[in-house]
């Protein structure tokens, strides 16, 4: 299959190209598109064959459910068996935006989309191209991240092309995304609302709007696999670069000292090593490959660049990656959740 790629100007969206993209979705084909979090790989959410195509294109295990993207809050009623009061409050506060809600599904939502579950995950993205695509297609769009399963999520159109060229009908390239990590997922089918995946919207923000306690799935906090996460996708190895990756965690001076030591050892073994550092620390390392992920002064910059940096490590063909840890105040939990997975939980505490 030849994959068509259109560069779309977010401020001046080409309606003809969007019409063509929407028609492809309506015909059961796949179109990758930008959202504010990462790029999504979209197909008709209520069409089981489209869901199957998504799994095949990504090489994704079919028990890992897809998130349904909607363009109007009222479309929640089309997929939810009942719309809980909590969902109304959260939609009012955070939609369109980087929040996915899990609710009981309507019968019309195929099990192919929900990975066999009786619940469905729904989100209204905050990106003009995503919203326009949903509207033009006249469908609801099921979309996981538009990467090959296991690889870092795509935050630029070129990342999608790297992974999926020849496997999908179209890529809408709207430039780099704004947030850079996937949506927060909150499960509203539990007794107490539960965060299944941390993201840009924090448990504190959710609790404040709901006026009740919000818990975090114990399965995503556990450092080992003794407790299974509830979101099926969270149990898989994910976001991983090709090289071995080790995170060094602790006070700045000690981290720099430890990584410098590891760099010397790698050099002695003839290994090519990369360091993932920040604007504040990048000049402190003696290595050919020092990548700055962003600045600790602005934690959003760290989230925004993380997946691109992991992909850059692949392109530079390094053998081993040493990364600082980024337990930043607000979204540090979301950042570290992804980074720890990328590193297969290899951490040195200093
Ligand atoms: P991605 O689309 O790549 O961001 O992955 C979607 C994430 O949402 C995966 O971790 C899924 O396991 C999770 N997810 C989707 N639907 C559900 C659901 N009904 N219940 C729990 N988790 C879900
Ligand atoms: Mg994904």
């Amino acid at each position: 299959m030849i994959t068509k790629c259109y560069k779309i100007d977010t401020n001046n969206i080409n309606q003809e190209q969007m019409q063509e993209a929407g028609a492809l979705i309506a015909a059961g084909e796949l179109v990758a598109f930008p959202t504010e979090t990462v790029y999504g790989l979209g197909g008709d959410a209520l069409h089981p064959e489209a869901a199957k195509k998504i799994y095949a294109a990504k090489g994704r295990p079919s028990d890992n459910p897809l998130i349904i993207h909607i363009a109007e809050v009222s479309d929640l009623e089309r997929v939810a068996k009942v719309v809980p009061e909590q969902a109304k409050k959260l939609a009012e506060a955070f939609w369109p935006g980087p929040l996915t809600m899990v609710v009981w599904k309507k019968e019309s939502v195929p099990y192919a989309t929900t990975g066999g579950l009786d619940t469905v995950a729904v989100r209204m993205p905050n990106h003009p191209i995503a919203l326009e695509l949903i509207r033009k297609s006249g469908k609801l769009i099921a979309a996981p991240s538009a990467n090959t399963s296991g690889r870092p999520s795509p935050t630029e159109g070129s990342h999608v092309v790297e992974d999926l060229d020849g496997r999908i009908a179209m890529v809408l390239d709207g430039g780099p995304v704004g947030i850079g990590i996937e949506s927060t997922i909150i499960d509203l089918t539990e007794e107490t609302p539960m965060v299944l995946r941390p993201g840009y919207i924090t448990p504190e923000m959710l609790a404040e709007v709901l006026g009740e306690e919000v818990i975090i799935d114990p399965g995503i906090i556990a450092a080992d696999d003794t407790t299974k996460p509830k979101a099926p996708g969270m149990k898989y190895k994910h976001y991983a670069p090709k090289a071995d990756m080790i995170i060094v965690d602790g006070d700045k001076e000690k981290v720099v000292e430890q990584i410098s030591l590891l760099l010397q050892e790698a050099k002695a073994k003839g290994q090519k090593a990369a360091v993932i550092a920040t604007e504040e620390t990048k000049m402190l390392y003696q290595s050919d490959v020092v990548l700055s992920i962003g600045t600790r002064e602005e934690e959003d910059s760290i989230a925004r660049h993380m997946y691109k940096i992991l992909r850059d490590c692949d392109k530079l063909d390094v053998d081993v990656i040493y990364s600082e840890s980024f337990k930043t105040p607000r979204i540090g939990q979301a950042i570290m959740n992804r980074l720890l997975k990328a590193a297969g939980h290899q951490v040195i505490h200093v």
Side-chain angles (χ1 to χ4, degrees):
M1 170 183 300
I2 291 179
T3 302
K4 245 191 190 180
C5 187
Y6 285 145
K7 284 216 187 314
I8 308 277
D9 179 355
T10 308
N11 298 312
N12 183 17
I13 295 179
N14 183 314
Q15 295 298 323
E16 259 166 53
Q17 291 175 338
M18 292 304 298
Q19 191 69 46
E20 192 181 330
L24 284 169
I25 296 278
E29 297 298 331
L30 306 186
V31 177
F33 59 95
T35 77
E36 79 279 36
T37 58
V38 301
Y39 273 74
L41 174 60
D44 180 351
L46 302 183
H47 188 359
E49 291 309 315
K52 283 182 196 153
K53 277 189 194 170
I54 292 176
Y55 289 107
K58 278 181 64 96
R60 179 174 173 116
S62 61
D63 69 340
N64 188 2
L66 310 175
I67 294 171
I68 297 187
H69 292 67
I70 61 177
E72 317 295 336
V73 173
S74 59
D75 279 342
L76 184 52
E77 289 161 29
R78 290 172 61 188
V79 293
K81 198 169 181 180
V82 279
V83 177
E85 278 310 310
Q86 296 150 318
K88 291 179 193 162
K89 283 190 193 167
L90 293 175
E92 167 84 25
F94 299 116
W95 278 0
L99 178 69
T100 296
M101 299 186 223
V102 173
V103 294
W104 295 106
K105 83 170 187 73
K106 263 202 172 132
E107 241 168 74
S108 52
V109 179
Y111 283 119
T113 299
T114 67
L117 299 176
D118 287 312
T119 56
V120 62
V122 191
R123 157 169 130 83
M124 181 170 164
N126 186 16
H127 195 292
I129 297 176
L131 293 170
E132 194 58 34
L133 178 66
I134 301 167
R135 291 190 183 119
K136 284 275 192 306
S137 72
K139 304 284 182 188
L140 307 180
I141 296 187
S145 49
N147 52 295
T148 301
S149 203
R151 289 210 76 203
S153 299
T155 53
E156 297 180 12
S158 64
H159 299 167
V160 180
V161 174
E162 263 167 39
D163 281 15
L164 299 176
D165 191 27
R167 306 175 72 88
I168 62 176
M170 185 178 277
V171 178
L172 299 174
D173 183 345
V177 300
I179 292 180
I181 50 174
E182 300 83 350
S183 57
T184 305
I185 302 179
I186 186 164
D187 186 347
L188 300 176
T189 67
E190 295 274 343
E191 180 85 12
T192 307
M194 184 159 91
V195 171
L196 304 185
R197 177 171 73 183
Y200 190 78
I201 293 175
T202 62
E204 294 73 29
M205 291 160 78
L206 296 165
E208 163 121 35
V209 168
L210 289 173
E212 64 177 312
E213 189 196 5
V214 171
I215 55 175
I216 300 172
D217 179 3
I220 58 171
I221 304 171
D224 47 41
D225 0 299
T226 48
T227 319
K228 270 221 166 69
K230 189 174 176 197
M234 299 299 281
K235 69 175 185 267
Y236 294 107
K237 184 177 156 93
H238 211 327
Y239 320 120
K242 290 171 192 150
D244 203 29
M245 180 168 163
I246 296 163
I247 297 170
V248 181
D249 177 55
D251 290 339
K252 182 179 139 189
E253 284 75 27
K254 289 198 171 142
V255 167
V256 173
E257 203 177 294
Q258 178 67 43
I259 291 182
S260 301
L261 201 68
L262 291 166
L263 284 171
Q264 283 175 17
E265 287 173 13
K267 198 170 179 186
K269 283 191 262 180
Q271 286 180 322
K272 183 173 177 187
V275 181
I276 301 180
T278 55
E279 287 303 299
E280 290 80 18
T281 54
K282 64 180 182 188
M283 67 298 277
L284 302 175
Y285 298 103
Q286 311 267 320
S287 170
D288 294 340
V289 189
V290 181
L291 304 167
S292 171
I293 195 169
T295 161
R296 286 182 196 269
E297 296 292 304
E298 194 216 331
E299 56 178 318
D300 290 4
S301 69
I302 296 177
R304 192 157 61 235
H305 299 132
M306 177 173 57
Y307 289 133
K308 176 183 158 40
I309 293 279
L310 294 176
R311 279 180 181 259
D312 286 348
C313 287
D314 283 353
K315 285 179 201 143
L316 292 164
D317 228 357
V318 298
D319 302 303
V320 55
I321 302 165
Y322 303 117
S323 177
E324 296 179 2
S325 83
F326 309 101
K327 290 178 179 159
T328 58
R330 212 184 66 81
I331 50 170
Q333 190 178 38
I335 293 171
M336 290 313 293
N337 169 264
R338 311 309 195 273
L339 210 62
L340 282 163
K341 280 186 160 217
H345 287 273
Q346 297 194 83
V347 187
I348 300 175
H349 296 280
V350 289

